[in-house]
Amino acid sequence: MPGIVLVGAQWGDEGKGKITDLIADDFDYVVRYQGGNNAGHTVIHGDKRLALHLIPSGIMYPNITPLIGNGCVIDPRVLIEEMDKLEAENFSTERLLISGNAHLIMPWHLALDAESERRLGNNEIGTTKRGIGPAYQDKAARSGIRIQDLLDEHIFRLKVQTALVEKNEILVKIYNSKPFDANAVCAEYLSYAERIKPHITESSQLLNEVLRENKWVLFEGAQGTLLDLDHGTYPFVTSSSCTAGGAVVGSGVGPTTINKVLGIAKAYITRVGSGPFPTELNDETGLKLSSVGGEVGVTTGRARRCGWYDAVIVKYAAEVNGLTDLCITKLDVLSCLDRIKVCTAYEHEGRRYRTVPGSQSAFHHATPIYEELPGWKTDITACRNYSDLPREAKDYIEFIEDLAGVPVSIIAVGPDRDQTIMRRWRPRS
Ligand code: GDP
Ligand code: IMO
Ligand code: MG
């Protein structure tokens, strides 16, 4: 079947934007199925460098229809800003489709995100403060406001008024913060409605139709496996299903429509925000990876924590997502190192783990077991074929491929589109 899921195999920022843009040309639709503008996907398309937060990374291709699925949460102000930026770069956003069932991020979600993080103090999750968690909370509580509510002013006003009765009490009485005025919120959001209305669609129905017509659909994941609400390092996760299963729930197609699942992993690993990180490097090597890899968050500008490639995590990602292919990005960044470590297992209280331990305490206190491989210390950014890579780089790829049990089909050796080795990526086979 012609559906392919692209998913982050680590803690996000694996280079999903670059790879989506790279392979998108083969597809008719590119669909975001979860998350919101907590995502920051960098796409370098020709001479243009774009940071996309909400709009699928296929937007630059006139032959592709980009779609924001029902599993997403949408801040309409950010959406319109992003559309304007793309239009200013001469990328038309006319084809953009938005599910009427996607939930709206309301101003109080941003306020509650900030307040609850402030309250947690040292135990904060380190969220992007974009209102993601509170918006999904309301969705699960069945009190959320959806994109389709923008189509009916009367309903929209009623929902805002109802929500604010509770939210203002929480903001004022619990957080000692300012209340929101329902009329002002309605005026702001109903002004966005005019712009968004032409893009709203019944997306599940549409996607099922196009899949039946054998059109190709790429489901573009945001965040990463270890940030998944169910399968990640809870509670230091985001509030949506970033794993491949989320693609079907978040867009309204059946699992039998999925042909392949491509996992994206960096040749090392990074994390933004709080939470356990067994292979984190708080030393010179960590600083080197950070500066050579340019590891600064696209959404919040925060420094990303860096560490050695963790094969336990990628093996786990292979299982929970059912990966058929792996793409390793940023291999070029490792060219600066004499020796490279790979975490092959964890140890905790005398027990050895080859997959992510079920117990959060074991994961928090896990000691990584490393294998050391020689570096290649050569610039590989001009390599375009697997055979162009130095022996040590190929050994590295084959070592992590064996540990993941999934073929490494794509290797990225630089941020540009063409700085890529298509080793064995065959989406249609
Ligand atoms: P995403 O959230 O998964 O889309 O990833 P981000 O865009 O947040 O972060 C990935 C960063 O790495 C971006 O700055 C990309 O331009 C860059 N990048 C992607 N692939 C490569 C690569 O192979 N080598 C290098 N040096 N940079 C890369
Ligand atoms: P992309 O799609 C990296 C992290 C935040 C925080 C946690 C919860 O660019 O890979 P949230 O605001 O979602 O409630 O924050 O998740 N986080 C990301 N980290 N890349 C992302 O997206 C992220 N989106 C959220 O830093 O630790
Ligand atoms: Mg990112």
Side-chain angles (χ1 to χ4, degrees), residues 12-18 40-42 44 49 266 298 304 329-333 412-415 419:
D13 302 324
E14 297 92 346
K16 299 177 293 294
K18 164 178 164 155
H41 298 176
T42 316
I44 301 175
R49 184 190 180 91
K266 272 179 200 174
V298 177
R304 295 172 179 156
T329 60
K330 297 197 141 183
L331 189 65
D332 54 300
V333 175
V413 291
Q419 290 180 306

Side-chain angles (χ1 to χ4, degrees), residues 236-304:
F236 299 101
V237 292
T238 190
S239 298
S240 66
S241 299
C242 325
T243 42
V248 293
V249 180
S251 55
V253 301
T256 45
T257 60
I258 305 301
N259 190 39
K260 290 196 183 245
V261 183
L262 171 64
I264 317 292
K266 272 179 200 174
Y268 48 103
I269 190 166
T270 62
R271 168 161 214 176
V272 198
S274 324
F277 186 171
T279 63
E280 183 167 15
L281 287 164
N282 291 308
D283 61 6
E284 283 299 309
T285 311
L287 289 174
K288 210 169 192 182
L289 288 175
S290 169
S291 71
V292 178
E295 295 299 351
V296 174
V298 177
T299 299
T300 56
R302 290 179 291 176
R304 295 172 179 156

